[in-house]
Amino acid sequence: MRKKIVAGNWKMNNDSQQTKVLLDEILAKKPGSTPVKIVVAPTFVNLQAAVNQTNGSNIIVAAQNMHQAESGAYTGEVSVGMLKSINVNTVILGHSERRAYFGETNSLLAEKVNTALKHNLTVIFCFGEELADRQSSNHFNVVESQLREGLFHITESDWQNIVLAYEPVWAIGTGETATPEQAQEMHAFIRNLLRENVGEAIAGQTSILYGGSVKPDNASEIFSKPDVDGGLIGGASLKADDFLAIVNGMK
Ligand code: 13P
């Protein structure tokens, strides 16, 4: 069974006090029981407090990034062991902002994926085409390469710890969402790639999230598509009411 997941990527927003307030609101207002896994990804410095604050709830705290090396002279970086030591067991890798602003390539991401999986983290693996790729009808090729070069080398059992997040770059933070049909078309393409390259069972079990300007008023229509298993939410995850409305849009 595919998991339904709604994840909030808070990016470089919220200081420690704002993190506490937002989490308090989410904890107070979230549905008592929901089939949806709720994930929040605060910035590194607020992870420990977020883990403590959500202890005993069903909210999962994720990191937005990690380094590929286990430890060493990498000033300013954060390792997998550091995340695990504070009970962060989920990490977002390959976000388009990491690719665009921090030079993260498919091959670097393959290394990060290996390190995360070696330590049994769940990876939310992000990918998606830029506007020019879609305009030149190259979007399926770009997505296929991102998956082949960054992810398809892993073993079949490792797929249990992978969540895919298709985020077309032109839809991130722009207010321009992929139509539900565009999302479904790409998600079906991705699931088919999994079927052909990894196998039917993994294709049927792997959750594929959509990200890019998901809001309370468009979430349920996107989530209603058969190959969309949830969302990775940026801007709208910074307000508890909006985020939870999106969670409730996932039936
Ligand atoms: P927005 O929801 O702000 O478009 O951001 C999406 C995103 O990048 C989530 O990782």
Side-chain angles (χ1 to χ4, degrees):
M1 256 276 283
R2 271 140 55 189
K3 294 187 192 90
K4 300 172 179 192
I5 302 168
V6 174
N9 175 9
W10 294 357
K11 308 190 179 183
M12 199 175 73
N13 294 294
N14 291 336
D15 64 18
S16 67
Q17 185 57 24
Q18 291 163 327
T19 298
K20 183 180 180 315
V21 169
L22 179 52
L23 274 178
D24 272 341
E25 286 176 11
I26 292 173
L27 287 164
K29 296 178 178 177
K30 78 176 172 55
S33 93
T34 166
V36 181
K37 273 187 185 283
I38 304 174
V39 181
V40 295
T43 188
F44 282 131
V45 291
N46 294 317
L47 283 175
Q48 169 98 70
V51 167
N52 294 344
Q53 202 179 335
T54 54
N55 189 18
S57 79
N58 54 3
I59 292 182
I60 296 163
V61 175
Q64 299 174 17
N65 180 33
M66 53 161 253
H67 197 267
Q68 63 276 20
E70 308 265 344
S71 65
Y74 301 103
T75 301
E77 292 293 325
V78 170
S79 75
V80 64
M82 294 168 189
L83 296 179
K84 290 202 72 161
S85 73
I86 56 164
N87 289 322
V88 171
N89 295 302
T90 303
V91 63
I92 298 172
L93 292 177
H95 193 279
S96 67
E97 289 147 18
R98 300 288 324 163
R99 293 174 187 261
Y101 307 141
F102 303 97
E104 296 200 0
T105 59
N106 292 334
S107 62
L108 174 77
L109 289 166
E111 285 182 54
K112 292 194 176 199
V113 164
N114 290 345
T115 305
L117 292 175
K118 182 174 163 203
H119 292 271
N120 225 15
L121 261 68
T122 295
V123 174
I124 301 177
F125 186 82
C126 305
F127 52 93
E129 82 283 0
E130 294 185 26
L131 183 60
D133 303 319
R134 186 161 276 266
Q135 285 171 335
S136 59
S137 298
N138 204 28
H139 45 300
F140 293 115
N141 289 335
V142 168
V143 162
E144 183 167 347
S145 312
Q146 289 171 325
L147 287 170
R148 280 194 191 284
E149 292 169 25
L151 199 59
F152 276 8
H153 62 281
I154 65 175
T155 65
E156 196 173 327
S157 64
D158 281 337
W159 279 92
Q160 310 301 333
N161 287 337
I162 298 289
V163 173
L164 299 179
Y166 168 59
E167 297 203 303
V169 178
W170 49 271
I172 295 178
T174 58
E176 190 183 340
T177 323
T179 64
E181 291 70 32
Q182 285 173 321
Q184 169 57 25
E185 183 186 36
M186 183 59 88
H187 283 223
F189 171 78
I190 296 160
R191 205 173 298 287
N192 201 42
L193 277 180
L194 292 182
R195 203 170 279 125
E196 286 170 359
N197 291 279
V198 197
E200 186 66 45
I202 299 298
Q205 282 164 24
T206 303
S207 299
I208 310 177
L209 315 185
Y210 168 80
S213 296
V214 178
K215 308 285 178 210
D217 60 1
N218 61 24
S220 60
E221 207 187 339
I222 298 172
F223 294 166
S224 71
K225 293 295 177 190
D227 286 298
V228 178
D229 305 308
L232 182 55
I233 320 300
S237 71
L238 298 171
K239 291 203 178 105
D241 287 339
D242 286 356
F243 183 57
L244 293 172
I246 292 169
V247 170
N248 290 330
M250 183 79 230
K251 293 284 172 338

